[in-house]
C-alpha cells in the first residue's frame, strides 16, 4: 500500500500516501485525521484537502496503488520452470507487498482488514481478477509442459487459481501476526504444490 518506488506518481501525492500509510498503521483508520496525514506529508490541512476530499479517498488510493503494483509483480514472478511451491510463495509475497506486514503488525489490524469499501472498488476487483488470471495462465502453461498436473483435481486452471487465491486471502483472518501469516502462506503454497505435482 505504500507509495514508495512508484515512479509515475506525483511527489506530493507520494508524500501524502506515504504519510497516510504510516498514520493508518499507527492510529487505525478511525483515529487517523487529515491533520495527521498533512503533518506527516509536510503540508497544511487545507493543501491536503485540495488533493483529497478525505482520508477515505486517500485509503482507497493506497489500496488501488497496492493492487496495481501487486499485479505487475505477480506477472513478473509467474514464469515457467521454477519450483511450484517457491513460485507460488513468491507470488503470494508479491501480492502482499510491504502492506500486509505493516497491517498485520499494527495494533489496528482488525480495523484495517475489515475496511471492505476500498477492496470493493471496481479497479481493485479487476486487478484481483487479473492476478488470478495470471496465476491460471501460469498453471495452464506449466500443465502443458508436464511440470504440473490437474489430474484428480477435477478442476480447470482458472478454478484452481481461484481456489489458491481464496485460500491465500482466508489465512489473514486467523493469523495472529505477520510471522504466523507468512508461515500459513508457506503451508498453502506447499499444499497446492503437492496437489499440482505430476
Amino acid at each position: 500500500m505504500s507509495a514508495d518506488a512508484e515512479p509515475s506518481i506525483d511527489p506530493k501525492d507520494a508524500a501524502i500516501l506515504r504519510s497516510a500509510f504510516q498514520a493508518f498503521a499507527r492510529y487505525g483508520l478511525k483515529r487517523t485525521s487529515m491533520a495527521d496525514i498533512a503533518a506527516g506529508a509536510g503540508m497544511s490541512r487545507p493543501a491536503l484537502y485540495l488533493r483529497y476530499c478525505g482520508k477515505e479517498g486517500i485509503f482507497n488510493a493506497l489500496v488501488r496503488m497496492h493492487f496495481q503494483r501487486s499485479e505487475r509483480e505477480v506477472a513478473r514472478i509467474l514464469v515457467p520452470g521454477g519450483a511450484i511451491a517457491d513460485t507460488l510463495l513468491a507470488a503470494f509475497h508479491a501480492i502482499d507487498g510491504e502492506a500486509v506486514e505493516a497491517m498485520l503488525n499494527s495494533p489496528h489490524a482488525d480495523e484495517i482488514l475489515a475496511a471492505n469499501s476500498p477492496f470493493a472498488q471496481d479497479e481493485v476487483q479487476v486487478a484481483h481478477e487479473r492476478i488470478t488470471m495470471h496465476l491460471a495462465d501460469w498453471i495452464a502453461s506449466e500443465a502443458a509442459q508436464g511440470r504440473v498436473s490437474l489430474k484428480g483435481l477435477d478442476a480447470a486452471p482458472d478454478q484452481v487459481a481461484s481456489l489458491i487465491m481464496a485460500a491465500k486471502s482466508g489465512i489473514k483472518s486467523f493469523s495472529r501476526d505477520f510471522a504466523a501469516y507468512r508461515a500459513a502462506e508457506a503451508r498453502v503454497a506447499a499444499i497446492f504444490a503437492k496437489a499440482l505435482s505430476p
Side-chain angles (χ1 to χ4, degrees):
M1 265 193 223
S2 170
D4 291 334
E6 196 67 35
S8 61
I9 191 168
D10 176 276
K12 284 187 182 176
D13 281 327
I16 291 165
L17 296 175
R18 191 169 31 256
S19 171
F21 180 78
Q22 293 165 351
F24 291 142
R26 186 178 309 125
Y27 306 123
L29 297 178
K30 290 178 186 162
R31 287 187 51 221
T32 294
S33 69
M34 289 293 273
D36 294 327
I37 296 169
M43 63 187 354
S44 68
R45 216 167 59 101
L48 178 59
Y49 274 107
L50 289 174
R51 290 183 171 267
Y52 292 94
C53 62
K55 64 184 177 182
E56 293 80 11
I58 297 171
F59 186 66
N60 289 350
L62 279 168
V63 172
R64 235 183 353 264
M65 184 180 299
H66 169 80
F67 276 96
Q68 290 165 356
R69 183 181 298 136
S70 293
E71 183 188 351
R72 288 193 305 268
E73 279 299 296
V74 167
R76 186 185 64 76
I77 286 165
L78 292 176
V79 295
I84 302 166
D86 293 345
T87 303
L88 285 174
L89 190 56
F92 291 170
H93 292 180
I95 293 166
D96 294 341
E98 66 183 43
V100 171
E101 180 174 8
M103 285 191 306
L104 290 175
N105 285 336
S106 168
H108 307 284
D110 290 342
E111 178 193 2
I112 294 168
L113 292 171
N116 289 326
S117 61
F119 299 99
Q121 296 176 73
D122 288 343
E123 288 176 65
V124 171
Q125 288 188 356
V126 168
H128 187 274
E129 287 166 12
R130 282 195 304 253
I131 289 169
T132 306
M133 190 170 58
H134 288 306
L135 187 54
D137 290 345
W138 173 76
I139 292 168
S141 171
E142 293 295 85
Q145 297 300 315
R147 288 188 286 264
V148 305
S149 173
L150 299 173
K151 188 175 180 179
L153 296 181
D154 193 30
D158 61 325
Q159 294 169 315
V160 174
S162 293
L163 188 56
I164 291 170
M165 291 293 284
K168 187 217 171 306
S169 296
I171 60 176
K172 278 192 200 120
S173 61
F174 67 79
S175 296
R176 306 179 304 283
D177 54 30
F178 183 66
Y181 173 69
R182 275 294 198 241
E185 278 188 319
R187 284 192 294 276
V188 168
I191 288 166
F192 278 102
K194 191 165 183 75
L196 289 167
S197 291

